[in-house]
Amino acid sequence: DTEVTQTPKHLVMGMTNKKSLKCEQHMGHRAMYWYKQKAKKPPELMFVYSYEKLSINESVPSRFSPECPNSSLLNLHLHALQPEDSALYLCASSQFPRVAEAFFGQGTRLTVV
Amino acid sequence: KQEVTQIPAALSVPEGENLVLNCSFTDSAIYNLQWFRQDPGKGLTSLLLIQSSQREQTSGRLNASLDKSSGRSTLYIAASQPGDSATYLCAGIAGGTSYGKLTFGQGTILTVHP
């Protein structure tokens, strides 16, 4: 099983809402990632968790709050977002510490209105 | 800072042609290099991973090579089919303090017409 599952697939939220994105993998990977992808652009890294600890934060605004409750689950909490935050949010996982193949989920299409 | 460039930006070919997609990177200290395909509005599907100690990987009609000394990787697609139409992305995987971080090229948009 090389599947990374993301929910929801689509999300529309207002600028005052609080919502969460969820990502799950059961491959035993100990590194998990959040990427943001704008239309016609490549994915850009937001956060990396290794062994459930935040190891990389690419200077992401605090309105995005990641959480890794266990080795299989990664959340991204959203609050007071702006319309320019509308994008495809991708979760990925890989083995750690031996950095091998990264597997991506299908993404959550987020629209901020 | 790692920068990844892909050439060409777009490619349109008739079915059956053999194709070469190019990827170049500025930092030869990459840990691994991975090729993905992305269909419109979808996530990324891993095609091939080339570890830093390897020169080449093959999967079916796909073959990818890596030359760290020149900062280049090539994805070769044999006997292209309409189902190969997608955006192809290469990504350098960092080691060191940025361990595991993928830096992507801008992608090559491939269209294979019947």
Side-chain angles (χ1 to χ4, degrees):
Chain A
D1 180 11
T2 58
E3 190 170 342
V4 176
T5 303
Q6 290 188 243
T7 54
K9 287 186 170 48
H10 301 275
L11 178 63
V12 179
M13 61 184 291
M15 289 189 283
T16 59
N17 290 160
K18 286 185 180 180
K19 296 288 184 183
S20 296
L21 310 184
K22 179 180 173 182
C23 173
E24 200 162 2
Q25 57 89 12
H26 297 287
M27 293 178 278
H29 291 170
R30 299 310 294 272
M32 296 186 75
Y33 312 79
W34 282 114
Y35 284 82
K36 174 182 177 179
Q37 187 177 27
K38 300 284 278 184
K40 301 189 185 302
K41 297 290 186 183
E44 292 183 340
L45 181 67
M46 300 175 72
F47 303 104
V48 180
Y49 273 83
S50 52
Y51 288 99
E52 296 89 70
K53 293 192 189 316
L54 184 65
S55 57
I56 297 178
N57 176 344
E58 292 284 280
S59 302
V60 178
S62 60
R63 58 186 183 268
F64 295 92
S65 176
E67 178 195 22
C68 190
N70 60 56
S71 60
S72 299
L73 192 56
L74 185 67
N75 298 319
L76 186 63
H77 303 297
L78 314 172
H79 174 54
L81 295 192
Q82 303 297 311
E84 58 265 29
D85 296 321
S86 299
L88 182 66
Y89 288 84
L90 295 162
C91 173
S93 71
S94 68
Q95 293 179 355
F96 191 89
R98 185 174 69 89
V99 181
E101 193 170 4
F103 293 92
F104 281 76
Q106 288 298 299
T108 294
R109 173 71 62 189
L110 174 67
T111 303
V112 182
V113 297
Chain B
K1 178 184 174 184
Q2 177 72 270
E3 292 184 3
V4 180
T5 304
Q6 291 186 243
I7 295 173
L11 188 59
S12 180
V13 299
E15 182 177 7
E17 282 206 1
N18 300 324
L19 310 172
V20 176
L21 307 183
N22 296 292
C23 172
S24 61
F25 46 91
T26 55
D27 185 357
S28 62
I30 62 166
Y31 198 80
N32 296 327
L33 189 131
Q34 194 167 353
W35 282 91
F36 297 89
R37 73 173 274 169
Q38 186 173 31
D39 294 293
K42 303 293 186 182
L44 278 65
T45 299
S46 177
L47 297 174
L48 288 166
L49 170 77
I50 310 176
Q51 300 192 43
S52 58
S53 59
Q54 298 175 319
R55 297 293 298 269
E56 195 172 329
Q57 277 289 341
T58 298
S59 176
R61 294 183 294 109
L62 305 179
N63 174 277
S65 65
L66 174 63
D67 184 344
K68 289 185 64 176
S69 62
S70 66
R72 293 182 182 179
S73 178
T74 299
L75 178 67
Y76 177 81
I77 303 175
S80 58
Q81 303 171 358
D84 294 331
S85 298
T87 297
Y88 289 79
L89 295 156
C90 70
I93 304 174
T97 56
S98 297
Y99 205 72
K101 174 180 177 180
L102 274 71
T103 301
F104 287 87
Q106 294 291 317
T108 294
I109 301 171
L110 173 64
T111 304
V112 182
H113 45 90

